[in-house]
Amino acid sequence: MTPDAGYHGPPELTVSRMLTTWHAGPALLLAFAVITAAYVSAVITARRHGHPWPLRRSTAFAATLASTALVTMSFIGTYADTLFWVRAVQLTALFMIVPLFAALTRPLSLAAALLPARHTARARSVFRSRPIRALAHPATGAVLFMGLPWVVFFTGWLPAMLRNPAVDTASGLLLITVGFLYYWSRLQLDPVPSRYSPVVSLFLAFAEVLLNAVLGLCLIYAMGADIARDYYAALNRPWGMPLSLDEQTGGGAYWVLGHAIGVPYLVIVFRQARRHDQRTAAAIDAALDRHTTSPAGEDDRGEMMRPWWETDPAVAHLGLNTPRPTTSSPRTPRT
């Protein structure tokens, strides 16, 4: 096909170009180099201070950089402004894949290992402040994680990203940040202000997977042809699939990738929930053993009969504890 005179984008995307097209600007390469140098220096310093740093965390860091490089420097970065399905793959990776690897790296634990002792108390008070507790709440991550993709795809946000490189870069960083906030508060591998049962994360994860599937279906069948239509039509691309099919393919890519990353995430959360149940069962068995062997068995029995929300540390901070009635009350004198 003869290239249209009004088209100034990359050439037709082929399998060969998918494998060989790589590009990287100086600013991006410098950012990768600075981040890598900072991480290696932090790990070396932490080990010198007696804080072990397992290899699996460094492997997760390498996966974070590799996945980021793949969606920004490969053909995905080159064709993200030309084909909607490529842009959908890029957004999905920045929102779901890169943040998951970043959370497995445990950057907050590394930062805490480097924190001087004189600043520990101040950092702890800030970390447990009300704004940080609100950010770490499961509902916050759920709302942002489930709502942000709808806003990106079905408002003027995506066309602004396509037309303005600064908005594109800032939006990518925001997607990674929101995704990390979600995985940080759910997986609780790093320090969190308040811990919640992994069972909460397990149920919410199923709901989020379902909503992502609904979004993918909307992109495929309902509204796909209307997303940034003016921008893509103005490209006057002389090759490849029609715009409507391109956007339906992008919806399918978002759906498939979202489910692909959702499976290992659900496995991690399920394992955490299982371990939590095992620890809870072990604690109950230990309490029963103390009750049967303790001379003050009646006091232990009274403690064991308290409602679960008064003794579970995961919800004790929510203020659900109510004053317990005393065993005796003053009688009103008879007249």
Side-chain angles (χ1 to χ4, degrees), residues 1 24 53 144 173 194 224 232 239 257 260 270 317:
M1 180 180 293
W53 198 252
L144 292 176
L173 293 175
S194 303
Y232 287 109
W239 51 265
L257 282 179
F270 179 79
H317 69 280

Side-chain angles (χ1 to χ4, degrees), residues 56-231:
R56 64 178 179 276
R57 300 180 189 178
S58 296
T59 303
F61 173 78
T64 304
L65 290 185
S67 57
T68 305
L70 179 63
V71 299
T72 55
M73 299 182 184
S74 70
F75 82 95
I76 297 176
T78 301
Y79 287 85
D81 293 342
T82 306
L83 292 168
F84 174 78
W85 76 263
V86 178
R87 172 64 68 164
V89 170
Q90 184 185 64
L91 293 179
T92 306
L94 292 176
F95 191 50
M96 298 183 184
I97 300 176
V98 174
L100 177 58
F101 287 132
L104 295 176
T105 303
R106 303 191 183 186
L108 298 184
S109 299
L110 183 58
L114 300 177
L115 191 66
R118 62 181 181 275
H119 299 313
T120 302
R122 180 179 179 85
R124 186 180 293 113
S125 62
V126 172
F127 191 69
R128 294 179 178 177
S129 63
R130 182 170 296 182
I132 302 300
R133 291 168 68 94
L135 283 175
H137 195 279
T140 304
V143 170
L144 292 176
F145 194 78
M146 290 188 289
L148 187 58
W150 292 84
V151 177
V152 170
F153 283 118
F154 298 126
T155 66
W157 193 335
L158 180 58
M161 294 175 62
L162 294 169
R163 292 188 173 96
N164 191 319
V167 175
D168 192 12
T169 301
S171 299
L173 293 175
L174 178 63
L175 290 173
I176 294 175
T177 301
V178 172
F180 175 80
L181 173 65
Y182 169 80
Y183 290 118
W184 164 61
S185 61
R186 291 302 177 78
L187 297 177
Q188 303 181 82
L189 301 174
D190 263 332
V192 289
S194 303
R195 291 197 170 272
Y196 299 87
S197 171
V199 178
V200 176
S201 296
L202 187 61
F203 280 107
L204 288 177
F206 280 110
E208 288 148 2
V209 169
L210 178 61
L211 190 59
N212 278 331
V214 173
L215 175 56
L217 291 175
C218 288
L219 292 173
I220 294 172
Y221 297 110
M223 311 173 195
D226 297 328
I227 300 174
R229 186 178 186 85
D230 293 340
Y231 170 85

